[in-house]
């Protein structure tokens, strides 16, 4: 599409993604200089539409950015009152006491929130300051300058035919140029992937690791609702099949967030993460809580889990990676929003200094230093060995050794273990199906557990069917010729939205991609054992429309 002519608009800073990182950057830029021209481009139909989060917010990032957030009406209304950690067996549970846990694991002082609503509020603050925010504007391409620097993005391209050619209602979109471009796309963003590969930002780093997080909102019996209660579980139903765990958060209005995370480095291609989540809700502790209630929303999203040792270089000429685009989640805390906000603030400060010095298109090295030497680096370094310990030695050993490691890091600033590596990426961790037994999952009962397509309808996802499929196969034969005989084609199972199917046509298996179901979790881009699927940005406004996730 290089021959297409587009209009261009000039800004000081172009920000891709209206999540907590991008909005924090926009707000901080305007705090520093009200005259800076700042634009935020959001692919969701509205700010917050694509935000899915664990939803317990450490307010340290917000405190640093907007100290008077309470007076300004930020939607942080439910403070954590009770913190529970449970180890589940098939029929029972053991509570892990709080006192042996390092202080960083304490949730008191944190808030159970809808991050979608927090981002909507942050967008209001940004717009009041003069930030231009354009929802429904997917960024499909990067624009490079004469010296190889990133100088902007293409946004708002609509109306392509399924084969990728311009259709009758084609709109070429616009180029938005900036002295600096911030990528705050969230996990496994397509533009961030391009930048990381083009500039070798992950060279010398450990492979990034991921989990898939699935979440439902339930309205439950008021008699069972305990506003401010946070519960995390480990163990059943995953057992030795995979790492992961759950969260149950009681927010206001008799609602609870019920979530389940499966680490994507699991070996058995027969594992079905979505069905593990559905099975989990039948545990007596969870079933009793949900009985008589109703599910009102569903969503899924990949989570970065590599931590400190997997975080790529954060800057290249003209561009910076913010928040989950770089992988700033603290895995044992299941929290990344605070670091996303802090990263946005740090990037804004570095860009402000650069623009004030009449620089543009270079590397914001001050941002890199701020992240690695400041609060974010401290947060991630302290827990850097928990994930590799879990992967190498299993849940029980990681609880003991990981706890010890976090304590020594917290008290003395060092680790007996140094910095452990992750080894393989998650796609390489998948073993051949012949080495594992299929797993028999109970059929969803339609009361506590649901089939994927029914649940996808509760994500309000929507895609214009006449557009090109945004899930691109490197080789169209690979799913049937390689993945099916070798791995029992795990795309049928690892996708939490039922996008991929193997059907029989004329007596032969055929791979079907139902991209209309996609909730933009990016799991296929990560877990496909042949690395044959690439998630790309669909038209702006398409995808899930989460209400209060």
């Amino acid at each position: 599409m290089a021959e297409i002519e587009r209009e261009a608009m000039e800004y000081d800073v172009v920000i891709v993604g209206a999540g907590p990182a991008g909005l924090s950057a926009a707000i901080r830029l305007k705090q520093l200089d009200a005259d800076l021209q700042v634009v935020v481009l959001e692919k969701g139909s509205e700010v917050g539409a694509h935000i899915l989060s664990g939803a317990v917010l450490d307010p340290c990032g917000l405190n640093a950015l907007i100290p008077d957030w309470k007076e300004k009406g930020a939607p942080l209304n439910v403070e954590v009152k009770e913190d529970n950690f449970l180890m589940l067996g098939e029929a029972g549970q053991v509570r892990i006491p709080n006192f042996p846990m390092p202080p960083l694991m304490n949730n008191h002082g944190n808030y159970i929130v809808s991050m979608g609503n927090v981002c909507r509020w942050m967008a209001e603050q940004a717009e009041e300051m003069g930030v231009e925010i354009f929802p429904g504007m997917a960024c499909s391409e990067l624009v490079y300058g004469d010296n190889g620097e990133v100088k902007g993005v293409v946004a708002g391209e609509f109306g392509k035919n399924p084969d990728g050619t311009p259709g009758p209602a084609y709109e070429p979109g616009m180029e938005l140029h900036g002295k600096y471009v911030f990528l705050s796309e969230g996990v496994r963003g397509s533009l961030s992937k391009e930048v990381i590969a083009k500039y070798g930002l992950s060279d010398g780093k450990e492979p990034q690791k991921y989990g898939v997080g699935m979440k439902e909102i339930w309205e439950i019996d008021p008699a069972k609702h305990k506003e401010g209660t946070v519960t995390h579980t480990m163990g059943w139903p995953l057992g030795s099949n995979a790492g992961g765990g759950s969260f149950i958060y009681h927010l206001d209005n008799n609602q609870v967030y019920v979530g389940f995370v499966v680490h994507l480095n699991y070996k058995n291609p027969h594992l079905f993460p979505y069905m593990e989540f559905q099975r989990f809700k039948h545990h007596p502790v969870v079933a009793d809580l949900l009985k008589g209630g109703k599910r009102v929303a569903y969503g899924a999203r990949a989570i970065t889990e590599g931590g400190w040792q997997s975080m790529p270089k954060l800057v290249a000429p003209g561009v910076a990676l913010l928040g989950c685009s770089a992988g700033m989640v603290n895995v044992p805390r299941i929290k990344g929003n605070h670091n996303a906000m802090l990263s946005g603030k740090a990037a804004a400060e570095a860009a402000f200094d650069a623009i004030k010095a009449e620089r543009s298109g270079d590397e914001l090295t001050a941002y890199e230093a701020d992240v690695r030497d400041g609060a974010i680096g401290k947060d991630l370094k302290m827990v850097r060995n928990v994930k590799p310990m879990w992967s190498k030695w299993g849940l029980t050993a990681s609880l003991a050794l990981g706890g010890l490691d976090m304590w020594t890091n917290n008290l003395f600033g060092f680790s007996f273990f140094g910095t452990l590596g992750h080894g393989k990426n998650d796609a390489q961790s998948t073993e051949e199906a012949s080495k594992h037994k299929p797993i028999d999952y109970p059929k969803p009962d339609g009361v506590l557990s649901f089939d994927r397509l029914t649940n996808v309808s509760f994500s309000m996802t929507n895609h214009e069917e006449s557009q090109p499929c945004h899930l691109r196969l490197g080789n169209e034969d690979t799913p049937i010729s390689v993945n099916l005989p070798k791995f029992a084609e795990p795309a049928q199972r690892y996708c939490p939205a039922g996008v991929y199917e193997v059907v029989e046509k004329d007596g032969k298996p055929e791979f079907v991609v139902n991209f209309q179901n996609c909730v933009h979790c990016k799991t296929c881009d990560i877990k496909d054992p042949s690395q044959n699927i690439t998630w790309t940005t669909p038209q702006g406004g398409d995808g899930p429309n989460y209400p209060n996730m």
Side-chain angles (χ1 to χ4, degrees), residues 100-415:
M101 297 187 182
L104 65 94
M105 297 298 289
N106 188 337
N107 274 308
H108 291 279
N110 298 332
Y111 292 83
I112 301 171
V113 300
S114 159
M115 277 309 298
N117 287 340
V118 171
C119 287
R120 292 180 184 101
W121 176 82
M122 291 178 71
E124 291 172 2
Q125 309 308 302
E127 287 183 317
E128 287 176 6
M129 301 172 80
V131 175
E132 295 181 37
I133 301 178
F134 298 129
M137 290 285 278
C139 297
S140 53
E141 297 178 41
L142 291 166
V143 179
Y144 294 97
D146 295 337
N147 298 314
E149 78 280 12
V150 175
K151 76 169 188 178
V153 296
V154 174
E157 190 175 24
F158 293 94
K160 285 185 177 180
N161 293 317
D163 64 0
T165 59
Y170 177 69
E171 297 178 22
M174 297 188 66
E175 290 189 7
L176 294 98
H177 299 167
K179 295 180 175 72
Y180 295 98
V181 175
F182 292 170
L183 299 181
S184 50
E185 303 173 284
V187 178
R188 199 77 167 189
S190 53
L191 301 186
S192 301
K193 270 183 67 178
E194 181 178 332
V195 164
I196 290 169
K198 179 179 176 65
Y199 297 103
L201 302 186
S202 285
D203 293 353
K205 310 292 185 182
E206 286 292 310
Q208 186 57 267
K209 306 294 285 183
Y210 299 91
V212 56
M214 297 153 286
K215 179 173 147 189
E216 296 172 355
I217 300 178
W218 280 72
E219 291 180 359
I220 64 169
D221 182 345
K224 301 175 183 178
H225 185 253
K226 298 180 180 179
E227 184 175 302
T229 298
V230 166
T231 300
H232 291 100
T233 81
M234 296 173 286
W236 190 89
L238 292 172
S240 60
N241 285 328
S246 83
F247 57 85
I248 302 173
Y249 303 151
H250 291 243
L251 57 160
D252 47 7
N253 300 318
N254 298 315
Q255 289 192 331
V256 294
Y257 292 140
V258 182
F260 198 80
V261 177
V262 178
H263 299 172
L264 288 175
N265 62 348
Y266 61 83
K267 298 177 181 179
N268 184 353
H270 298 294
L271 189 85
F272 198 156
Y274 175 84
M275 290 306 297
E276 296 287 353
F277 175 31
Q278 299 307 302
R279 181 160 62 168
F280 157 76
K281 290 182 291 177
H282 286 273
H283 189 278
V285 169
V286 188
D288 181 64
L289 175 69
L290 300 182
K291 185 178 179 182
K294 65 177 181 178
R295 162 219 48 186
V296 296
Y298 167 74
R301 183 62 51 87
I303 303 165
T304 53
E305 296 185 339
W308 173 255
Q309 52 270 63
S310 298
M311 193 164 58
K313 183 181 175 183
L314 304 176
V315 294
V319 67
L321 303 176
L322 278 55
C324 282
S325 289
M328 297 182 184
V329 171
N330 182 314
V331 173
R333 296 184 75 198
I334 322 181
K335 290 180 181 61
N337 289 308
H338 63 299
N339 284 337
M341 291 179 180
L342 292 172
S343 75
K345 178 176 178 289
E349 291 167 353
F352 166 73
D353 288 341
I355 293 169
K356 187 177 178 182
E358 298 185 348
R359 290 162 40 206
S360 66
D362 60 351
E363 293 191 2
L364 293 172
T365 54
Y367 166 58
E368 180 97 26
D370 193 324
V371 169
R372 295 192 184 275
D373 299 336
I376 297 172
K378 181 180 179 182
D379 187 56
L380 297 179
K381 275 186 190 176
M382 201 177 300
V383 301
R384 66 189 182 276
N385 289 323
V386 173
K387 169 67 176 178
M389 284 177 174
W390 197 335
S391 300
K392 294 173 188 290
W393 303 324
L395 174 58
T396 303
S398 73
L399 280 175
L401 297 177
L404 170 65
D405 195 54
M406 286 189 284
W407 267 113
T408 60
N409 272 290
N410 183 72
L411 294 174
F412 309 113
F414 80 94
S415 168

Side-chain angles (χ1 to χ4, degrees), residues 456-463 516-520 542-545:
V456 166
S457 70
F458 281 78
S459 71
M460 307 300 178
T461 197
N462 180 64
H463 294 84
Q516 299 88 348
N517 295 349
C518 181
V519 293
H520 299 193
D542 285 1
N545 284 279

Side-chain angles (χ1 to χ4, degrees), residues 474-486:
N475 185 320
E476 293 190 0
D477 296 330
T478 295
I480 300 303
S481 65
V482 178
N483 286 357
L484 185 59
K486 197 171 181 179

